[in-house]
Amino acid sequence: AQSVTQPDIHITVSEGASLELRCNYSYGATPYLFWYVQSPGQGLQLLLKYFSGDTLVQGIKGFEAEFKRSQSSFNLRKPSVHWSDAAEYFCAVGLRSNDYKLSFGAGTTVTVRA
Amino acid sequence: SAVISQKPSRDICQRGTSLTIQCQVDSQVTMMFWYRQQPGQSLTLIATANQGSEATYESGFVIDKFPISRPNLTFSTLTVSNMSPEDSSIYLCSVGQGRANEQFFGPGTRLTVL
């Protein structure tokens, strides 16, 4: 069955430390891949996306993600976390064959401690 | 990216009533989407709303419960009908733009049903 998995429900990280959020997908074809962030009480903001080409993509707010076809993964990273990065992070995939409709992972809550 | 607004931002409603949520975009878009985010959960697609055609509903969602209008390329409404406490959620609209129809989200409508 097609699915998007975010294995980590909650991650706590110290301010200034690095962050990595995992995302795995199970689809027959390589989907389009997205990371969104949702701050408390806010809508979703697109952090970055992967369609094709360079497997390391840069996004906003200092985030990057790496697509690994062999592992069906699209993990999100940030070298140095700021307190304002505390939020919910969602991985999403879309398929051209499905009219690009998005399927979302369950989300990972990031807490930043001082 | 498009700027998307939603009204109301939040509401508290009585069981058995209906609420219509508006989504306004600052540019013309072909595809609009409506999502539900239940408390502490990820996003689930309710339906796709394209101008000039009937909305397409995902499995588990029906038109009688969630009627959608799409009168032009910048506006859509979602009605939550005959509400019950189980309908308490955040409802988000999004628009598809650009390559792979990447989606941009409105701020959401937080609905509480008593």
Side-chain angles (χ1 to χ4, degrees):
Chain A
Q2 298 178 339
S3 65
V4 185
T5 303
Q6 293 181 246
D8 304 304
I9 297 174
H10 192 184
I11 288 179
T12 299
V13 60
S14 297
E15 192 169 15
S18 63
L19 174 69
E20 182 168 13
L21 304 181
R22 295 182 290 165
C23 175
N24 294 94
Y25 63 89
S26 175
Y27 286 82
T30 298
Y32 299 108
L33 299 158
F34 306 87
W35 275 99
Y36 287 88
V37 60
Q38 185 178 36
S39 298
Q42 303 295 314
L44 271 71
Q45 183 179 22
L46 179 65
L47 284 174
L48 46 75
K49 57 188 181 282
Y50 174 79
F51 297 151
S52 65
D54 192 345
T55 57
L56 184 64
V57 294
Q58 304 296 320
I60 62 171
K61 303 186 178 187
F63 284 93
E64 66 178 25
E66 185 172 13
F67 168 63
K68 292 186 177 180
R69 184 188 304 273
S70 62
Q71 298 178 19
S72 297
S73 68
F74 188 55
N75 293 349
L76 181 72
R77 299 193 292 255
K78 185 168 184 177
S80 177
V81 169
H82 187 262
W83 64 266
S84 60
D85 294 321
E88 185 88 11
Y89 292 80
F90 293 98
C91 178
V93 303
L95 286 171
R96 182 168 54 187
S97 61
N98 195 29
D99 295 327
Y100 304 107
K101 289 185 286 188
L102 293 182
S103 295
F104 283 83
T108 299
T109 301
V110 173
T111 298
V112 180
R113 59 181 175 224
Chain B
S1 61
V3 177
I4 306 160
S5 60
Q6 287 185 233
K7 290 182 181 180
S9 59
R10 59 177 62 227
D11 207 341
I12 301 173
C13 300
Q14 295 299 316
R15 179 195 300 260
T17 63
S18 298
L19 176 72
T20 296
I21 302 167
Q22 299 178 6
C23 180
Q24 180 76 52
V25 189
D26 69 342
S27 58
Q28 294 185 336
V29 294
T30 301
M31 299 186 78
M32 295 181 75
F33 305 86
W34 286 98
Y35 290 84
R36 180 176 72 183
Q37 186 178 23
Q38 295 177 299
Q41 303 295 314
S42 186
L43 282 76
T44 301
L45 180 63
I46 297 172
T48 303
N50 293 337
Q51 196 269 336
S53 62
E54 295 280 334
T56 304
Y57 290 82
E58 297 300 304
S59 176
F61 298 96
V62 295
I63 187 171
D64 290 345
K65 176 67 176 178
F66 297 102
I68 289 171
S69 77
R70 182 79 200 274
N72 57 53
L73 290 173
T74 63
F75 187 78
S76 178
T77 66
L78 169 76
T79 298
V80 186
S81 303
N82 188 25
M83 290 184 286
S84 67
E86 292 71 35
D87 294 318
S88 297
S89 297
I90 299 172
Y91 292 86
L92 300 104
C93 70
S94 73
V95 302
Q97 287 187 311
R99 183 180 176 187
N101 210 30
E102 59 192 90
Q103 291 184 32
F104 300 92
F105 285 80
T109 296
R110 184 179 295 271
L111 171 62
T112 301
V113 184
L114 303 178

